[in-house]
Amino acid sequence: MTTISKFPITKSDTLNRSINRAVRILVNNMRAGVEINTVLDNNGKFKWLRGINEMLTSFISGYRAKVISGSLLSNLVKAYDDAMRLDINGRSILGVVRDNPMEVGQILVDNYALQGNQGIVPGKDILVLKACQRDPENLMRILKKYPDNRYADSLLILAAFRDQEELYNYASDSHSALGKRIHSINHPLVKTIVKMSQLKTGRMYFPFLDDIYNGKISMDSITPKLEKDSSEYYALLVKTRIGYAKRMQNGDTPMAAKALVNKLHTKAIELYINEINALHDVSNLNVRFKKLEGLSPEELYYVAVLGEEEIYTSSFVSGVYPRIISRLGKSRSDTLLQLVHNDYYKKFLKMCAAYNTLDNFLDKMDKSTSQTYMKGFVSGLENTRTLEDAVDVADSYGSIYNKDLRKLILDQVQIKLAENQQKKNKRGTVIYNLLNTIFLSMDSSNHIDVAAQLGINPIYIMPNQLLRDTSKRIIVQQFFYGDKDGRTYYDAFLAQFRNANWRITRKPQWVEVQSVKGAPVTIYSNLPLDEKQDLDAESQDKLIAYLEDKGLEPTVVIHRGHSYYLNSTISKLPSSGKVVLVGSCGGYQMLNKVLEICPGAHIISSKQVGAGIINQGLINLMTEQLRQGKDLNWPAIWRTLGGKFNGGIEEKFDDYVPPYKNLGAIFITAYNNAQ
């Protein structure tokens, strides 16, 4: 016979402290009640004593596995006593399972002595229901294990309203047990999702699910627009998204809204961005941007904001943006934002700032309206899950030249800082304090040493010492690509180092340019081999493998290629990079990705069109400074180069952002340092 003294814990066990006197008394009373029960024979008494012991040992196992709280022991003992009494009297324990926490109910339905009770099967169904209610994010995964659960239909209907995408995926597998259960449900939303999931083109209808379910549009009316290159389909996506944006402004949440954005993004790329990007070498803009003819300002807007990462600088600056403004006619520019119900307006303002069109855009609306939008742009940064909006604000501030607008943003940042300090919102205080410090430091009259103030490495100078490896060498790695421009710039690069200070060594997949005088500096550059056969990528990989094998860690990394190659370079960036030259169009847009790999790196990038002559000028000056053992003094480098360029090249150089003006990069580094 089991006694409480046989409860398998020691006096030193943490659990022992949670077994209070009342619980011990109740367990002893349960044991005594079993032993003196005249209705039970010896087998019955043995069963219940064993059941009590199993109940206690199950609790210990669960407690030690951290799946049940110690505070639930008293609930469990009381529930087991109630269940035992009900079972002995031939009654169901379902009510006990239902009225107790899930962990307690699970121990009851698993207990040896209770297995014959009529409440076990419905009790298990109740536990599945409780599990789904507790963890709705995993509802479908839970039901996949229990597709015959008596509550499955009602749970699946709830799932249809909570996550249409997930239900669609499970409904697509009509041969699985859960798929069959979904197909059997007679509910209009579930039936609509099931119908789509069984069509080859179901994913094309899915973005319109909310409007279809609410009778605003029919699947039949969408069908004619499903051709691969249908601009009508894209237009319908835009129209639907604008309708959803209006609803979201009023606190409504349309179903499958994320799926619609994803499809809109895909179609913007497939139908428009890919083509206008591919024609980047075509000088006739009417030819290059012919594909954009017929698009409304709203449709062009979504090409921009949803194609932010894919669109080339010239595609936005020379194509999408001027056509938006042109097609607005005499309307103010804020009409565009009103037409889309301010959907993604922060992203659009950020893009305009990054591409030096923000002042132009804001000048085309009333001053009070532009101030309202910029205040909104700066507000609510503490409420987002990521730092993206805060980084956008930092980047944009550095791109604004209108003094009144700058003052407005700074004032708003300081207002929000005070509000967050008063509310004791730590995250908001950190974000706005960093922005305030960074923005104030942009005015030299404030005499703010931003690096010292934020506790980060110097931003005006990259010390030569920090770029050296353990052997006192500085390793530079260049990424070249095998298109026509890449081959041209490669030859121009080598020509600059054919002098007495450097030695060029050719290898099958790369060249090594090594200093023979001064400090040891070696530039490794992969060959710009045929891009169509991915031979340039192969040469990069071979060089990377060689550097890793020799223990050579590049601290200066240079991207030499168009913006459409930049993602490839970033995917191969060495984490050792401390100076990164993004020598392509719109590299300014990719700062976050670079910093994820190279935290705290000094980044040089262009907000608009990258130029080979500027990139080479930077490389020449930087490598010469390093060869002479000097630090990289960014303000001095910028002054030197600024005096060498004129005309159109000077304008392009003005769009290059030195590390000390990369406010987004400074913000990210400072924020990470503050955590």
Side-chain angles (χ1 to χ4, degrees):
M1 296 290 181
T2 300
T3 66
I4 189 64
S5 62
K6 293 182 180 179
F7 188 56
I9 60 174
T10 66
K11 290 183 179 180
S12 61
D13 198 307
T14 303
L15 181 60
N16 194 49
R17 291 193 293 271
S18 69
I19 305 177
N20 55 39
R21 186 170 181 272
V23 172
R24 287 178 175 273
I25 291 173
L26 185 54
V27 171
N28 282 325
N29 288 342
M30 288 168 59
R31 182 209 64 183
V34 169
E35 291 177 342
I36 65 175
N37 192 304
T38 57
V39 176
L40 298 173
D41 57 19
N42 285 337
N43 288 337
K45 291 178 180 180
F46 177 80
K47 180 184 82 168
W48 286 111
L49 290 173
R50 175 182 169 184
I52 293 170
N53 186 72
E54 184 180 299
M55 176 265 296
L56 295 172
T57 55
S58 294
F59 179 82
I60 292 172
S61 298
Y63 176 81
R64 288 174 175 165
K66 298 183 178 180
V67 296
I68 188 169
S69 167
S71 63
L72 289 179
L73 178 58
S74 58
N75 299 67
L76 174 61
V77 173
K78 175 66 169 59
Y80 192 84
D81 187 43
D82 292 342
M84 182 174 65
R85 293 175 187 277
L86 288 168
D87 187 81
I88 290 173
N89 290 308
R91 297 168 61 190
S92 172
I93 67 167
L94 179 60
V96 180
V97 175
R98 183 186 60 240
D99 296 339
N100 276 279
M102 186 174 69
E103 295 83 358
V104 170
Q106 191 65 55
I107 291 176
L108 295 181
V109 300
D110 289 341
N111 189 265
Y112 152 80
L114 294 169
Q115 289 310 296
N117 189 273
Q118 59 188 300
I120 292 295
V121 173
K124 289 181 178 179
D125 284 338
I126 282 284
L127 291 176
V128 172
L129 174 62
K130 285 175 178 281
C132 291
Q133 290 171 334
R134 178 181 291 186
D135 188 11
E137 295 294 322
N138 285 310
L139 185 151
M140 298 299 294
R141 295 186 188 90
I142 295 169
L143 288 182
K144 186 177 181 180
K145 298 178 182 178
Y146 308 101
D148 296 325
N149 184 276
R150 68 177 62 193
Y151 303 103
D153 285 2
S154 59
L155 288 169
L156 288 168
I157 292 171
L158 286 174
F161 284 97
R162 185 189 66 82
D163 191 334
Q164 301 78 42
E165 181 81 30
E166 189 174 34
L167 190 76
Y168 183 104
N169 292 335
Y170 279 95
S172 298
D173 185 4
S174 59
H175 300 295
S176 68
L178 184 56
K180 291 177 181 177
R181 186 67 180 259
I182 295 171
H183 282 241
S184 71
I185 295 175
N186 186 24
H187 184 278
L189 178 57
V190 177
K191 289 174 70 174
T192 302
I193 295 173
V194 167
K195 181 179 179 180
M196 291 179 183
S197 74
Q198 298 307 293
L199 297 173
K200 289 183 179 180
T201 55
R203 285 289 179 187
M204 300 291 281
Y205 295 98
F206 189 67
F208 309 102
L209 175 64
D210 197 288
D211 280 355
I212 291 172
Y213 174 67
N214 288 299
K216 296 179 180 179
I217 192 173
S218 68
M219 290 179 65
D220 288 342
S221 67
I222 298 172
T223 302
K225 300 177 172 62
L226 298 186
E227 290 85 357
K228 182 179 179 181
D229 297 325
S230 174
S231 58
E232 290 185 6
Y233 183 78
Y234 175 77
L236 181 60
L237 287 169
V238 169
K239 179 182 177 182
T240 306
R241 174 63 191 181
I242 291 173
Y244 287 0
K246 182 178 181 180
R247 290 170 55 185
M248 288 187 287
Q249 273 189 328
N250 297 323
D252 192 5
T253 305
M255 293 184 292
K258 184 178 179 180
L260 187 144
V261 169
N262 290 340
K263 184 63 71 177
L264 192 49
H265 171 242
T266 299
K267 286 299 175 182
I269 294 171
E270 288 179 357
L271 297 178
Y272 305 108
I273 294 177
N274 282 346
E275 180 165 332
I276 63 177
N277 282 353
L279 297 175
H280 67 279
D281 286 330
V282 176
S283 58
N284 187 324
L285 298 185
N286 290 328
V287 173
R288 178 180 177 185
F289 298 113
K290 182 177 176 58
K291 189 70 176 182
L292 301 181
E293 290 182 6
L295 292 187
S296 67
E298 306 97 295
E299 290 160 1
L300 288 165
Y301 177 86
Y302 282 102
V303 168
V305 295
L306 294 182
E308 178 192 15
E309 291 192 3
E310 293 83 8
I311 196 167
Y312 293 174
T313 302
S314 58
S315 294
F316 179 85
V317 174
S318 302
V320 174
Y321 179 77
R323 281 161 178 75
I324 288 176
I325 299 302
S326 172
R327 289 168 198 178
L328 284 174
K330 296 181 180 180
S331 300
R332 301 180 319 188
S333 56
D334 59 296
T335 303
L336 172 69
L337 304 181
Q338 294 169 16
L339 287 170
V340 298
H341 301 287
N342 292 328
D343 194 26
Y344 291 106
Y345 87 92
K346 288 189 176 184
K347 185 174 291 295
F348 186 72
L349 294 180
K350 176 249 184 173
M351 291 182 72
C352 287
Y355 294 128
N356 283 348
T357 59
L358 181 59
D359 283 349
N360 177 271
F361 185 71
L362 295 178
D363 283 344
K364 297 181 182 301
M365 64 178 79
D366 290 344
K367 183 176 181 180
S368 61
T369 303
S370 68
Q371 289 179 343
T372 299
Y373 273 112
M374 293 311 297
K375 286 180 180 178
F377 183 57
V378 176
S379 300
L381 304 180
E382 72 277 22
N383 300 324
T384 59
R385 294 184 178 181
T386 69
L387 293 176
E388 183 178 358
D389 284 354
V391 173
D392 288 350
V393 170
D395 284 338
S396 300
Y397 188 85
S399 303
I400 295 171
Y401 303 102
N402 184 303
K403 291 183 178 179
D404 291 339
L405 190 54
R406 274 198 166 197
K407 184 178 185 305
L408 173 69
I409 293 175
L410 179 58
D411 289 346
Q412 190 66 14
V413 164
Q414 292 174 346
I415 289 171
K416 292 301 175 182
L417 172 59
E419 289 178 358
N420 278 274
Q421 288 173 330
Q422 187 175 9
K423 295 176 183 177
K424 296 183 179 180
N425 184 320
K426 182 179 178 181
R427 185 171 188 269
T429 299
V430 170
I431 288 173
Y432 284 107
N433 184 54
L434 291 176
L435 292 175
N436 184 49
T437 302
I438 293 169
F439 294 171
L440 286 173
S441 73
M442 297 294 290
D443 185 346
S444 59
S445 65
N446 290 321
H447 304 291
I448 293 176
D449 183 344
V450 68
Q453 194 96 342
L454 300 180
I456 60 177
N457 289 331
I459 61 173
Y460 290 93
I461 293 175
M462 172 54 71
N464 187 289
Q465 189 69 32
L466 284 182
L467 298 176
R468 299 179 186 179
D469 62 14
T470 54
S471 299
K472 307 299 182 182
R473 300 166 300 188
I474 296 178
I475 306 300
V476 181
Q477 181 180 3
Q478 280 194 106
F479 287 84
F480 272 96
Y481 291 85
D483 59 345
K484 180 181 177 182
D485 287 342
R487 293 190 296 272
T488 299
Y489 291 130
Y490 194 86
D491 292 337
F493 156 70
L494 289 179
Q496 296 296 314
F497 291 87
R498 292 192 178 99
N499 58 62
N501 293 324
W502 301 89
R503 180 177 63 245
I504 299 174
T505 304
R506 295 182 180 273
K507 301 287 186 177
Q509 300 280 356
W510 65 85
V511 296
E512 300 172 7
V513 180
Q514 189 172 13
S515 62
V516 293
K517 296 180 182 179
V521 178
T522 305
I523 308 168
Y524 292 90
S525 301
N526 67 281
L527 298 180
L529 303 177
D530 191 344
E531 60 167 336
K532 295 180 180 178
Q533 299 183 54
D534 287 332
L535 296 182
D536 50 359
E538 181 182 322
S539 69
Q540 293 168 3
D541 294 338
K542 291 287 180 65
L543 174 55
I544 290 170
Y546 172 81
L547 294 175
E548 290 177 349
D549 182 60
K550 298 298 182 182
L552 300 172
E553 296 186 343
T555 52
V556 179
V557 186
I558 302 167
H559 168 74
R560 298 298 303 271
H562 292 293
S563 58
Y564 42 87
Y565 294 124
L566 184 52
N567 277 321
S568 176
T569 295
I570 290 175
S571 70
K572 299 177 182 181
L573 274 181
S575 59
S576 55
K578 291 183 172 63
V579 174
V580 181
L581 168 56
V582 183
S584 65
C585 300
Y588 193 69
Q589 302 282 71
M590 310 297 281
L591 299 183
N592 292 3
K593 290 186 176 181
V594 173
L595 288 173
E596 286 175 3
I597 301 167
C598 307
H602 283 198
I603 305 173
I604 303 168
S605 59
S606 172
K607 286 190 281 184
Q608 290 205 29
V609 180
I613 188 172
I614 296 175
N615 295 330
Q616 191 59 59
L618 281 164
I619 293 166
N620 293 346
L621 192 50
M622 287 165 52
T623 53
E624 184 59 20
Q625 295 283 305
L626 296 177
R627 188 189 67 79
Q628 294 179 19
K630 296 179 179 179
D631 299 334
L632 296 178
N633 184 312
W634 301 121
I637 288 174
W638 246 250
R639 286 194 299 270
T640 300
L641 285 176
K644 292 184 177 181
F645 301 128
N646 51 53
I649 297 300
E650 182 181 9
E651 291 178 6
K652 290 183 179 180
F653 181 66
D654 288 342
D655 287 326
Y656 274 69
V657 184
Y660 62 94
K661 289 187 178 180
N662 260 334
L663 304 192
I666 295 170
F667 175 84
I668 293 172
T669 301
Y671 184 89
N672 291 336
N673 187 63
Q675 299 310 297

